[in-house]
Structures are given as structure tokens and as C-alpha cells.
């Protein structure tokens, strides 16, 4: 008996036969235990979900990827995403109202940004793909992960999968990047180390924008709501596209997983099928003996914390939801410099890793909107703060709350240390007001299902065989004072290798 309405995409997939490789909702088709239609169900399609799907498919293992958000195909007209100067319903993820690309998770003591859509955080991020230094990596991971193994094997593979290169000379010299050059010059005068770092950006597309051959997007500072020109190498167009091209991976957009529970020797996933406004159109279920959590730090942690508290996954570690951190993120705003030439997605970073107690990377980024009449210079400070945050189940509202104790001395100290680094910039900057460091927002949520605690060292949840975590929730709060996406991808690839080994054993 059919109880769910079929989407146009599902019809197309069925017509092309791709559906045969997918895990069908049990409400629509009976699922044979002996011959399940897909071997694995993956929740989430960001970096971790994409690399997992690809590695499975490369070994001939089929999977269905359930993604709450919609697809964002780049159009020739350059109108895929909303722009920050003229936002509309494509901007924010507001369940029941809009399925925009950017979610703002409101917590206690902190708010976080997260991507929502096929491609996850890669749709909205600033594309900076940095590898941490050894001592800083150890400060974040202790002995949970071997640095040499990561640097020798998994980081190079991740860079290749994502496709990374630094801003080229000719682009940096363009008028559109004058703010980048000003940041470079100011940071050097302040004694900070300046670097052009690998970026998941197609600089040839940026050159097309600069030459006027295509509509500008990255070069006018569009980023956090998506880049319309296609300059951003989001994983829906790279890693996930390669996975889908195998014919073994089916991505179901607008499928939001609400519950995961153990059911004998399998797992049942309940999924809300959403319409474009994020309203639940129908509910459906998937059954699988192998489920991979790749819903991001907050998404995965929320699902696991709630499932543990309600007894749906009764053997989960009591550490689920703990060791959550903000990557030490502080949004810093400096007034007094003209915000012209704010090309992006980003370009140059300034480092202060060893002079003080808090190693910090400053990423100069465009907002895409003029602030205070064009007078602003923004940088995101990424550092290492202790992972003292948590996600906690509230039975009264049957929901999970994010808590970040910003006021405790260990975290307040990080804010103070970053202020000291900003003061170096202030000291060489004529006429600008002192910079502010705001700890209340993070773009880099990490932790909640930490490696070696909630899972083994490859993301397996031993107490529930067949459950795996592969995403940013594995990471205890920071990635060595650099932004996390490259580490997330490298670690997911490492976990996927264990998953593949388990399934092919
Ligand atoms: C504004 C912004 C800027 C950033 N800039 C950078 C940067 O320059 N460099 C860098 O290294 N990092 C950056 N990051 C962080 C980086 O993007 C993340 O660390 C990375 O995306 C995490 O990867 P992930 O696979 O763990 O999760 P995500 O990429 O977040 O993917 C999780 C996916 O799961 C989906 N999902 C969540 N819950 C459910 C559910 N219940 N059911 C179905 N699907 C679900 C989400 O919609 C999402 O698509 C930035 C992030 C943001 C938000």
C-alpha cells in the first residue's frame, strides 16, 4: 500500500532505473531482508556524507543519502541563490516557512551557522581548506588520531577530492580584491604571518567574473548564501556528483530524518518528506542494517542525543552530546576601513600560532553587504577553545538544546587572547576604532559524538553494530586553530575505509 506521495524526482529516478539501487521507503514497497535495495543509508550530504557515498560506491556498495535540504544546481542565468543584499526565501532554513540554504541554530550562549541542502556546509562556507600544524593538531585531538597518518594519507586525498588551490596573483591584483591586499598589508605590519591557503574555489570562474563575461557573484562578496557563478567547488558538484555518477548512490533531497531506532538486527529511520516551504508533506520510513550519521555536528548530535534519551538507541554512550566546541570561533569586526573590493569567497589568512597562549588564524572574509555605510573589515578568528559545550535533551519539549558556557574562565580567556591579537592590528592601523571579538557565533561547530569516546577510532558505534558516525561531530571542539572542512573530509574518508572494510569482509 502506498501512503507517501511520489515526487517528480522520484518518478524520474524510478524511470531511469536508479531507484532499483536505492533503499525504498517501506511504506511504498516491501523490503526484503535478504535483498535490501540499498546496502547503506547515509544521513546528510555535506563533506562527510559525500565522501562516504563515493567510497561505498567505488566498492560497488549502493547507498541512499537522505538530505533535509534541497538541491542547488548552478544555473546559466546566475540566479540559483539569494544574495545577501536582497535575501528571500532561498536564504534561511526556517522549517515550516522556507528551505533556504543557511541554518542559524540558536543555542544557549552561542548560535551556529550550518549549511542546509545537497552539499551541506560546502554550499555556504568560505572554502578555506587548511591543514593544521602538528602541535596544534595534537592540542585538539590528543592521541585520538595519528597526525603522521593523517598528513601522509588522508589530507592529500581530501585536497584532491575537494579540488583546492590558493588565490592566484592576477586575481589578487584585481580591483575586486583590494580588501584582501589591505588585510595582507595590515597583518604583515602587525607582525602576523600571512598566507595564501588552499581554497575550494574555481579561480577560472572568478577570472570570468572579473573580465565581465559572467555575472559577478564571488567577486562582489556573495558567499554565505551561495555563489551563483559556480566559483565555489561545493561537494554536490564534485565528490557527491562523482558518487551519483556511479549509479549506485541515490540522494533524496527534502528528506529530513527525525528518528533513528534499533529494530531487531536493523535500524528504522523515520523521515519527514518536506515541501519547498519545509512543511512535512508526508512521513516515511527506511530500514537498513547499516546507517551512517553525516548530518553535521549539530544535526548528528541532535539525532543521537534524542535517540539515546528516549531509549530508541538504548546502548549509546552517555558521552553523546558532550565535548562540543566552537573551534574557538570569534567574529571580529573592525571599523574604519573602506569595504571596497570585497571579493571572495575568501583569500588570505593571517596567523598568530605561537606568540601567545591561544593559537589563532584570522580569515578575512566579505560579508556581501556594506556595513555602516561601507566602513568595515571583518575577519573570523579560528582558535582552540576547550570543548565544554553540550547538547542536552529536554523531555518537556522533546527537543535537544545546544549549550555553550561562554562565561567560564577557560573560554573567556580565549576571547581575551584573541583581543590581544586584534590589538596588534589596531596598533598599526591609523584611524580605526578598536576591533571587537564576538564569541557568540560559530561557523565551525564540532563534536557531540567524539571519536574514541562515543565511537571507536574509526567512527563505529560498537554498542550498536552497523551504526557509524563519520562527520564533524567526531571532532572534539577544534581542529588545530584552522577551519575544519579539510579535516572533516579527511577523517570521513578514513572512517569510510573502515566501513567499506566491514561491509566487504
Ligand atoms: C558560513 C560558514 C562558513 C564556513 N567556512 C568554512 C571555511 O572557509 N573553511 C572550513 O574549513 N570550514 C568552513 N565552514 C565549516 C564547514 O563547512 C563544516 O565544518 C563542514 O561543512 C562540516 O561537514 P559535515 O559533513 O560534518 O556536515 P555538513 O557539511 O554540515 O553536512 C551535514 C548535512 O546534513 C544535513 N542534515 C542535517 N540534519 C539532517 C537530518 N535530520 N536529516 C537529513 N539531513 C540532515 C544538512 O542539511 C547538511 O546538508 C563554514 C561553515 C559555515 C556555516
Amino acid at each position: 500500500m502506498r501512503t507517501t506521495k511520489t515526487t517528480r524526482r522520484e518518478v524520474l529516478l524510478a524511470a531511469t532505473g536508479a531507484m532499483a539501487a536505492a533503499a525504498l521507503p517501506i511504506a511504498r514497497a516491501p523490503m526484503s531482508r535478504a535483498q535490501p535495495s540499498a546496502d547503506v543509508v547515509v544521513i546528510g550530504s555535506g563533506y562527510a556524507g559525500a565522501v562516504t557515498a563515493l567510497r561505498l560506491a567505488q566498492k560497488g556498495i549502493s547507498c541512499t543519502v537522505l538530505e533535509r535540504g534541497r538541491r542547488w544546481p548552478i544555473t546559466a542565468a546566475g540566479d540559483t541563490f539569494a544574495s545577501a543584499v536582497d535575501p528571500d526565501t532561498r536564504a534561511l532554513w526556517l522549517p515550516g516557512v522556507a528551505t533556504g540554504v543557511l541554518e542559524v541554530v540558536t543555542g544557549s550562549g552561542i548560535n551556529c551557522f550550518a549549511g542546509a541542502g545537497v552539499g551541506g556546509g560546502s554550499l555556504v562556507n568560505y572554502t578555506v581548506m587548511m591543514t593544521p600544524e602538528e602541535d596544534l593538531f595534537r592540542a585538539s585531538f590528543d592521541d585520538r588520531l595519528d597526525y603522521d597518518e593523517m598528513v601522509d594519507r588522508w589530507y592529500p586525498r581530501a585536497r584532491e577530492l575537494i579540488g583546492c588551490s590558493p588565490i592566484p596573483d592576477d586575481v589578487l591584483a584585481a580591483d575586486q580584491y583590494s580588501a584582501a591586499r589591505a588585510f595582507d598589508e595590515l597583518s604583515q605590519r602587525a607582525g602576523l604571518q600571512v598566507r595564501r591557503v588552499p581554497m575550494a574555489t574555481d579561480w577560472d570562474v572568478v577570472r570570468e567574473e572579473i573580465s565581465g563575461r559572467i555575472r559577478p557573484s564571488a567577486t562582489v562578496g556573495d558567499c554565505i548564501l551561495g555563489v551563483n557563478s559556480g566559483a565555489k567547488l561545493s561537494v554536490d558538484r564534485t565528490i557527491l556528483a562523482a558518487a551519483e555518477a556511479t549509479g549506485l548512490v541515490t540522494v533524496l533531497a527534502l528528506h529530513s530524518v527525525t528518528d533513528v531506532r534499533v529494530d531487531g538486527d536493523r535500524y528504522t529511520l523515520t523521515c519527514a518528506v518536506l515541501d519547498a516551504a519545509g512543511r512535512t508533506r508526508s512521513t516515511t520510513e527506511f530500514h537498513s542494517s547499516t546507517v551512517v550519521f553525516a548530518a553535521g555536528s549539530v544535526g548528528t548530535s541532535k539525532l543521537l542525543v534524542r535517540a539515546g534519551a528516549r531509549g530508541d538507541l538504548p546502548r549509546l554512550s552517555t558521552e553523546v552530546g558532550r565535548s562540543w566546541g566552537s573551534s574557538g570561533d570569534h567574529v571580529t569586526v573592525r571599523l574604519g576601513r573602506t569595504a571596497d573590493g570585497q571579493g571572495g569567497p575568501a583569500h588570505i589568512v593571517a596567523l598568530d600560532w605561537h606568540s601567545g597562549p591561544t593559537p589563532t588564524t584570522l580569515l578575512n572574509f566579505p560579508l556581501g553587504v556594506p556595513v555602516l555605510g561601507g566602513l568595515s573589515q571583518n575577519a573570523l578568528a579560528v582558535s582552540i577553545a576547550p570543548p565544554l559545550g553540550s547538547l542536552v535533551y529536554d523531555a518537556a519539549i522533546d527537543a535537544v538544546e545546544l549549550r555553550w558556557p561562554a562565561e567560564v574562565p577557560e573560554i573567556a580567556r580565549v576571547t581575551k587572547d584573541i583581543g590581544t591579537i586584534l590589538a596588534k592590528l589596531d596598533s598599526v592601523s591609523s584611524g580605526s576604532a578598536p576591533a571587537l571579538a564576538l564569541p557568540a557565533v560559530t561557523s565551525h561547530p564540532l563534536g557531540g559524538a567524539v571519536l574514541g569516546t562515543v565511537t571507536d577510532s574509526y567512527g563505529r558505534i560498537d554498542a550498536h553494530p552497523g551504526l557509524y558516525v563519520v562527520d564533524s561531530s567526531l571532532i572534539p571542539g577544534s581542529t588545530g586553530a584552522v577551519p575544519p572542512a579539510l579535516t572533516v573530509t579527511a577523517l570521513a574518508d578514513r572512517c569510510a575505509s573502515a566501513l567499506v572494510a566491514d561491509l566487504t569482509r
Side-chain angles (χ1 to χ4, degrees):
M1 188 178 69
R2 275 177 86 101
T3 55
T4 51
K5 205 171 145 192
T6 307
T7 64
R8 186 171 158 270
R9 175 168 166 71
E10 285 165 347
V11 170
L12 285 172
L13 286 170
T16 58
M19 216 52 175
L24 293 174
I26 58 162
R28 289 198 281 134
M31 179 99 99
S32 149
R33 274 192 186 194
Q35 290 183 306
S37 326
D39 302 307
V40 180
V41 176
V42 177
I43 309 170
S45 66
Y47 290 96
V51 73
T52 303
L54 178 64
R55 296 310 187 204
L56 287 167
Q58 285 172 336
K59 292 291 178 188
I61 302 168
S62 63
C63 80
T64 297
V65 180
L66 301 174
E67 167 55 52
R68 66 178 173 170
R70 47 169 141 148
R71 282 193 183 261
W72 297 92
I74 298 298
T75 63
D79 59 0
T80 304
F81 301 102
S83 78
V85 282
D86 189 17
D88 56 31
T89 55
R90 294 171 295 173
L92 292 183
W93 178 259
L94 297 169
V97 179
T99 50
V101 73
L102 181 71
E103 181 183 25
V104 184
V105 180
T106 309
S108 157
I110 200 157
N111 301 306
C112 21
F113 290 130
V118 177
S122 71
L123 296 165
V124 296
N125 74 16
Y126 284 87
T127 80
V128 176
M129 295 294 143
M130 289 180 74
T131 305
E133 265 195 3
E134 182 168 2
D135 56 335
L136 304 183
F137 178 93
R138 290 194 199 290
S140 292
F141 283 97
D142 288 323
D143 56 3
R144 290 173 203 273
L145 268 182
D146 182 59
Y147 184 75
D148 292 338
E149 180 199 336
M150 292 296 286
V151 164
D152 291 346
R153 179 146 196 223
W154 304 108
Y155 279 117
R157 279 165 63 122
R159 275 191 294 272
E160 197 180 323
L161 280 172
I162 293 169
C164 306
S165 56
I167 186 169
D169 288 344
D170 59 316
V171 174
L172 186 57
D175 290 348
Q176 288 85 343
Y177 288 83
S178 59
R181 298 193 299 275
F183 178 73
D184 180 343
E185 190 258 332
L186 183 73
S187 302
Q188 293 207 41
R189 273 199 287 134
L192 307 181
Q193 204 190 341
V194 173
R195 276 197 200 160
R196 296 190 206 181
V197 289
M199 314 254 314
T201 298
D202 185 337
W203 296 108
D204 284 340
V205 176
V206 172
R207 288 187 177 107
E208 294 272 292
E209 289 190 33
I210 290 170
S211 70
R213 282 193 288 273
I214 60 173
R215 209 167 140 185
S217 182
T219 50
V220 292
D222 284 346
C223 181
I224 196 164
L225 301 179
V227 169
N228 276 312
S229 63
K232 198 185 275 192
L233 294 171
S234 53
V235 298
D236 55 317
R237 303 168 62 227
T238 56
I239 307 172
L240 195 60
E244 290 183 278
T246 64
L248 288 172
V249 173
T250 299
V251 180
L252 297 179
L254 295 171
H255 278 60
S256 179
V257 176
T258 55
D259 297 273
V260 181
R261 65 176 187 279
V262 63
D263 226 349
D265 60 353
R266 313 185 92 196
Y267 299 95
T268 297
L269 287 77
T270 307
C271 196
V273 183
L274 307 177
D275 66 13
R279 292 175 298 235
T280 301
R281 215 185 50 192
S282 60
T283 303
T284 189
E285 289 187 342
F286 293 80
H287 284 184
S288 182
S289 53
T290 309
V291 175
V292 177
F293 287 85
S297 166
V298 174
T300 289
S301 301
K302 279 187 172 177
L303 285 170
L304 288 175
V305 166
R306 184 163 170 275
R310 287 161 47 107
D312 296 342
L313 296 173
R315 296 187 292 281
L316 284 182
S317 161
T318 53
E319 289 298 310
V320 165
R322 300 176 70 90
S323 298
W324 184 91
S326 66
S327 299
D329 274 9
H330 287 61
V331 173
T332 77
V333 180
R334 314 182 65 252
L335 303 180
R337 294 187 70 90
T338 307
D340 59 351
Q342 294 255 3
H347 28 68
I348 280 175
V349 303
L351 318 175
D352 195 335
W353 284 349
H354 299 292
S355 78
T358 298
T360 299
T361 302
L362 292 173
L363 273 73
N364 191 222
F365 69 92
L367 273 183
V369 286
V371 177
L372 298 177
L375 296 177
S376 79
Q377 190 181 67
N378 321 292
L380 180 66
V382 183
S383 63
I384 300 177
L388 300 176
S390 55
L391 290 106
V392 180
Y393 181 65
D394 182 342
I397 52 169
D398 188 24
V400 175
E401 190 199 19
L402 172 64
R403 296 181 185 162
W404 178 243
E407 69 295 342
V408 301
E410 301 95 310
I411 293 171
R413 194 210 71 212
V414 172
T415 305
K416 186 166 157 284
D417 292 345
I418 290 172
T420 305
I421 296 169
L422 295 179
K424 294 183 186 178
L425 291 169
D426 287 338
S427 71
V428 293
S429 172
S430 57
S432 79
L436 302 169
L438 311 170
V441 180
T442 178
S443 295
H444 305 138
L446 296 172
V450 166
L451 196 75
T453 304
V454 171
T455 72
D456 74 358
S457 65
Y458 286 89
R460 300 180 186 96
I461 299 182
D462 286 333
H464 284 291
L467 287 192
Y468 294 77
V469 179
V470 296
D471 62 9
S472 43
S473 60
L474 290 170
I475 297 172
S478 59
T479 48
V482 301
L486 191 72
T487 302
V488 171
T489 309
L491 181 56
D493 198 6
R494 183 176 180 273
C495 293
S497 73
L499 168 63
V500 166
D502 290 350
L503 292 174
T504 52
R505 190 169 292 150

